[in-house]
Amino acid sequence: MAKTQTTFFCKSCGASSAKWIGKCPSCGEWNTYIEEVVHKEKTDFKKTWKQTDRSAPLLKPVLLKEVEQGNEQRYPVKDIELARVLGGGVVPGSVVLIGGEPGIGKSTLMLQIALQFTDKKVLYISGEESDTQIKMRAERLPFRNEQCYLFTEVSTQRIGKALQELQPDIVIIDSIQTLQSELIDSTPGSISQIKETAGDMIRFAKETGTPVFLIGHITKDGSLAGPKLLEHMVDTVLQFEGDRHHVYRILRTTKNRFGSTSEIGIYEMQSGGLREVSNPSEILISQRDEALSGVAIAATIEGMRPLMIETQALVSTAVYGTPQRNSNGYDAKRLNMLLAVLEKKCGLRMGMQDVFINIAGGLRVEDPGIDLSIVAAIVSSYENIALDGKICFIGEVGLSGEVRAVSRIEQRISEAEKLGFKTIYLSKFNKLPSKQSSIKTIAVGKLDEMLQLLFG
Ligand code: TYD
Ligand code: MG
């Protein structure tokens, strides 16, 4: 019997080494090397579906100008949000990785996508759930596909055989961390297994022109479990995110070889699966009869989509020595910065106040243009003065209390106008669109100018 062989792998980039090293020479990360059992049986090679490698026709270099154009026929996708993030339909032979935290809805999303390809033969491979479990889930979804096959298997060799027999049009794998190559000894989910099995699936996709969707798990720190290398190997990386306790989910592109990475898709988790949200702004702003203090609306841009988002703040005197600062959906470091600016530049005594920030709907906003609205919410709560519900804000706040210009101002203003806002506060450094609009724009250069106008 062959001797058990172990190799050390870098968790971050997937580089390997015979012995443990503190700093990865390949990616420069510290303390990322872990030991794994690797045991390749070279003789088994012929038995596997990799033999197609050898029988495949030999490709020759071609002249760029002779490559035929426009033969990339995308498979149309019925799910509008998915089509948006993919930059159109599914490209044949492409490999799409969908990452997300446990329970966020990855399996639900992929199953309903599988069921929506009604004219395609779809193979849904699961190493996580049984056929009956998947069937139960499918029963709850409002879609039916007569040609959707299920296969509960984790071995890539056996999957390879099934793929050769069935010849599906689209393959979905739930999840890459459960796949196992019989050629490697280490456990499923280990770096060498992920590298090997993902490599197998990518080869299959490229050779046969079949699109493959891989579901991937996310580790605590928010990165895809497995080597970073996996993200380099696939064509498209989508992140499925949101708060598990809220109904909204965002599908974000972080890498796309066939489209832009600035698109997002928004879904709502319902009892009958995920529903596409086409009018997100209307839902994200809560309806209430009376104006409340500590609430301000921001005209943000997520991806390419303008979104009106409700920012909420609660400021109250700290009972214990050290005031608490807590932020949900907004960068906590940025919150501290805004509080320091308010203290130093606007004379607000924030030092002894607890400050809590929340973005409605469980969304996480990265657009720095939300700053102005956060400040408005904080001061509204601090002064206990409610803002008019027809006012919205857009602008980034700088360290010296200046209000900075933001991108795509035109789109933001027209979204605010569409939703019936009457006034928008923005930076005076933003060049305003020449188009006449019914919304009143108030341009400010400094934070205290705005606070003066709002709270006197
Ligand atoms: P799931 O797709 O299993 O998450 P993941 O594969 O990312 O781990 O879905 C998780 C949650 O979705 C689960 O808590 C139940 C909920 N859910 C619904 O609310 N409605 C539905 O129709 C389905 C199928 C699931
Ligand atoms: Mg799942």
Side-chain angles (χ1 to χ4, degrees), residues 36-84:
E36 277 182 13
V37 181
V38 188
H39 167 65
K40 276 214 173 190
E41 285 180 44
K42 297 235 163 53
T43 45
D44 241 9
F45 211 77
K46 277 196 222 87
K47 284 190 211 152
T48 71
W49 59 305
K50 276 196 200 155
Q51 58 194 340
T52 50
D53 277 9
R54 308 207 175 146
S55 54
L58 214 58
L59 293 177
K60 286 206 197 88
V62 285
L63 272 171
L64 176 61
K65 62 172 187 183
E66 284 170 9
V67 177
E68 269 178 54
Q69 212 185 14
N71 50 3
E72 174 210 88
Q73 270 283 329
R74 289 184 186 234
Y75 296 177
V77 179
K78 291 209 184 95
D79 189 298
I80 308 164
E81 305 296 303
L82 180 73
R84 195 200 311 270

Side-chain angles (χ1 to χ4, degrees), residues 196-444:
E196 183 73 16
T197 52
D200 281 347
M201 295 321 303
I202 291 166
R203 218 168 303 128
F204 162 77
K206 301 295 168 207
E207 277 171 15
T208 59
T210 314
V212 174
F213 288 90
L214 300 173
I215 293 179
H217 293 222
I218 270 191
T219 54
K220 269 214 192 81
D221 62 358
S223 59
L224 273 153
K228 244 310 186 242
L229 193 74
L230 184 57
E231 290 176 46
H232 293 300
M233 287 161 83
V234 300
D235 298 310
T236 304
V237 180
L238 305 179
Q239 292 267 34
F240 203 35
E241 54 188 48
D243 190 332
R244 229 162 13 112
H245 306 290
H246 282 86
V247 291
Y248 297 108
R249 304 280 186 272
I250 289 190
L251 191 62
R252 218 184 272 276
T253 336
T254 54
K255 167 183 177 178
N256 195 356
R257 288 192 180 142
F258 311 111
S260 99
T261 53
S262 47
E263 291 289 358
I264 60 161
I266 304 176
Y267 294 92
E268 186 180 356
M269 182 60 102
Q270 294 182 336
S271 57
L274 290 151
R275 193 184 61 87
E276 300 139 76
V277 177
S278 46
N279 56 342
S281 297
E282 281 173 28
I283 306 165
L284 291 172
I285 300 169
S286 48
Q287 271 94 47
R288 60 171 72 83
D289 308 331
E290 43 172 349
L292 299 173
S293 69
V295 173
I297 311 290
T300 68
I301 293 264
E302 276 293 299
M304 302 286 266
R305 293 167 87 174
L307 264 187
M308 302 301 288
I309 286 180
E310 184 175 306
T311 56
Q312 306 167 343
L314 178 66
V315 180
S316 68
T317 313
V319 211
Y320 305 108
T322 323
Q324 300 182 58
R325 269 76 214 267
N326 212 324
S327 170
N328 230 339
Y330 180 73
D331 185 18
K333 285 201 195 101
R334 240 188 132 72
L335 168 63
N336 281 330
M337 183 210 89
L338 290 184
L339 293 175
V341 170
L342 282 175
E343 176 107 29
K344 180 99 182 176
K345 302 288 173 187
C346 311
L348 269 76
R349 311 283 308 272
M350 306 305 294
M352 285 315 292
Q353 305 286 336
D354 285 341
V355 181
F356 306 95
I357 297 290
N358 183 41
I359 307 288
L363 292 188
R364 183 171 59 82
V365 181
E366 276 159 12
D367 176 18
I370 196 175
D371 288 354
L372 205 58
S373 167
I374 298 273
V375 167
I378 291 173
V379 180
S380 156
S381 174
Y382 178 82
E383 303 279 1
N384 207 14
I385 299 175
L387 292 169
D388 184 337
K390 295 280 168 230
I391 301 180
C392 62
F393 302 87
I394 188 63
E396 183 181 342
V397 174
L399 283 182
S400 47
E402 79 273 24
V403 179
R404 305 172 57 113
V406 293
S407 61
R408 299 175 191 277
I409 194 75
E410 222 158 311
Q411 248 179 303
R412 299 176 198 248
I413 293 177
S414 67
E415 178 78 3
E417 195 183 355
K418 217 162 69 192
L419 286 160
F421 285 88
K422 296 277 175 277
T423 312
I424 185 165
Y425 280 80
L426 38 74
S427 163
K428 71 173 182 195
F429 303 108
N430 256 123
K431 211 175 148 280
L432 291 183
S434 44
K435 199 179 83 183
Q436 264 299 320
S437 62
S438 64
I439 195 163
K440 183 174 154 209
T441 54
I442 303 182
V444 287

Side-chain angles (χ1 to χ4, degrees), residues 101-108 124 126 128-129 137 174-175 215 217:
E101 283 176 30
I104 200 81
K106 303 181 293 298
S107 306
T108 308
Y124 187 97
S126 178
E128 308 215 331
E129 289 152 310
R137 189 198 301 265
D174 188 3
S175 66
I215 293 179
H217 293 222

Side-chain angles (χ1 to χ4, degrees), residues 105-116:
K106 303 181 293 298
S107 306
T108 308
L109 177 69
M110 287 326 296
L111 185 62
Q112 75 179 51
I113 301 272
L115 297 177
Q116 285 181 74

